[in-house]
Amino acid sequence: MIDVPAGLAAAQEKYNKEAGRAFVAALPDLTAAFLDRWELRVTGTPMHGVSALVLPVDRADGTPAVLKLQLRDHETDGEPAALRRWNGDGAVRLLAHDEPTGTMLLERLDASRMLAHRPDVHEGVLVIARLLARLHATPAPDGMRRLGDIARSMLERTPAVLDRVPDPAARRLVADCAAAVREVADEPGDRLLHWDLHDENVLAADRAPWLAIDPKPLAGDPGFDLWPALANNFDPDDIAWRFDAMTDVLGLDRARARAWTYGRLLQNCLWKTEDGRPLDENDLEIARRLRGRGGGRTR
């Protein structure tokens, strides 16, 4: 019998309420069923984030793997299709998948060697940029949620949210982000994006120095994938360097990449305001520091 970690149960209660409680209640039986179905043996301590239980296991032939069980939603539904499309090129390899529950069996990477453990933040940003270049080389499969739909929804919701932002300077900044998104919304792109590639979602492996895990994939413009590396290990004086370095590695048009990065900031602002929370000052500072990072192609 698997004990559900208290941190996972608390996160599910906080973010998913009744659906989260039902998911946590079903986890022990669900886990047991997949251990039996895929002939797996638990070989380590359960791990978890906000949304998933991850168990180190061995397959019947002794191959190490991890069993990932998570609550299905619009962000996680595309993960198996994305991993299947990447097929291990820059990302963890999918070994098996159960469509009804979203349960996955994944290649086991080295969780003790996480990019976040490396002290050189600049090295980490460049690692992420190079991984994104590999991931973005792949067009998104049919059925993937699309940035164009997300952008239209954000722009429709922006006027009501602006009315709820009390600080005039912050309100102008959010409006500027929306204006930038409006200029590029008709060309949202078709690349397969990770959406959440920060240094805790990059692990080492024997077959590759670094691989991405835990995508929340969508089809869109690569500029929409830069924000996590700008916001992680936040340093306002480093934002311009990170943005320029990533757009250099990815060969992006800086003005367009800045517009889609503003889209991520707008997305955050909409979520926070609609939930009744204050805007994040770090998000606003990223927007301020990106002013003037336009221009032509970076290579």
Side-chain angles (χ1 to χ4, degrees), residues 90-202:
V92 64
R93 186 170 280 124
L94 179 68
L95 304 177
H97 170 233
D98 178 67
E99 177 68 30
T101 64
T103 302
M104 292 180 289
L105 188 66
L106 302 168
E107 167 189 22
R108 192 192 303 178
L109 308 184
D110 190 346
S112 70
R113 290 190 291 155
M114 182 184 292
L115 185 59
H117 299 159
R118 301 293 288 264
D120 188 338
V121 173
H122 282 187
E123 176 195 3
V125 169
L126 292 173
V127 166
I128 288 171
R130 293 176 189 129
L131 281 175
L132 288 175
R134 294 169 67 184
L135 301 179
H136 294 165
T138 302
D142 293 339
M144 192 66 63
R145 63 188 179 127
R146 310 198 72 81
L147 180 55
D149 298 331
I150 293 170
R152 282 189 291 274
S153 173
M154 289 194 299
L155 294 173
E156 290 169 0
R157 289 149 55 202
T158 295
V161 164
L162 287 175
D163 289 341
R164 297 170 57 184
V165 178
D167 178 66
R171 190 163 57 247
R172 284 193 298 272
L173 203 55
V174 176
D176 287 346
C177 288
V181 172
R182 194 171 290 110
E183 291 183 1
V184 294
D186 289 340
E187 297 181 57
D190 67 350
R191 299 293 91 187
L192 184 51
L193 308 185
H194 184 288
W195 191 85
D196 195 28
L197 196 58
H198 52 76
D199 61 8
E200 292 185 355
N201 276 345
V202 179

Side-chain angles (χ1 to χ4, degrees), residues 160-166 174 266-279:
V161 164
L162 287 175
D163 289 341
R164 297 170 57 184
V165 178
V174 176
L266 177 63
Q267 189 176 54
N268 289 348
C269 292
L270 293 171
W271 283 339
K272 289 180 183 299
T273 303
E274 290 168 345
D275 287 346
R277 294 177 289 156
L279 300 183

Side-chain angles (χ1 to χ4, degrees), residues 241-268:
W241 183 90
R242 297 184 195 185
F243 180 80
D244 289 352
M246 294 181 78
T247 50
D248 275 342
V249 170
L250 289 162
L252 302 182
D253 177 277
R254 282 199 176 131
R256 184 176 182 82
R258 180 182 63 173
W260 281 119
T261 302
Y262 280 164
R264 288 296 294 272
L265 301 171
L266 177 63
Q267 189 176 54
N268 289 348

Side-chain angles (χ1 to χ4, degrees), residues 41-115:
R41 180 174 61 89
V42 178
T43 58
T45 304
M47 300 172 286
H48 70 91
V50 172
S51 61
L53 177 68
V54 178
L55 290 174
V57 296
D58 279 353
R59 306 181 82 176
D61 63 0
T63 303
V66 294
L67 180 65
K68 182 175 182 179
L69 306 105
Q70 61 189 357
L71 183 65
R72 289 187 57 175
D73 60 21
H74 68 282
E75 291 183 359
T76 62
D77 265 352
E79 183 175 356
L83 294 178
R84 194 175 291 114
R85 178 61 65 94
W86 285 320
N87 193 29
D89 185 8
V92 64
R93 186 170 280 124
L94 179 68
L95 304 177
H97 170 233
D98 178 67
E99 177 68 30
T101 64
T103 302
M104 292 180 289
L105 188 66
L106 302 168
E107 167 189 22
R108 192 192 303 178
L109 308 184
D110 190 346
S112 70
R113 290 190 291 155
M114 182 184 292
L115 185 59

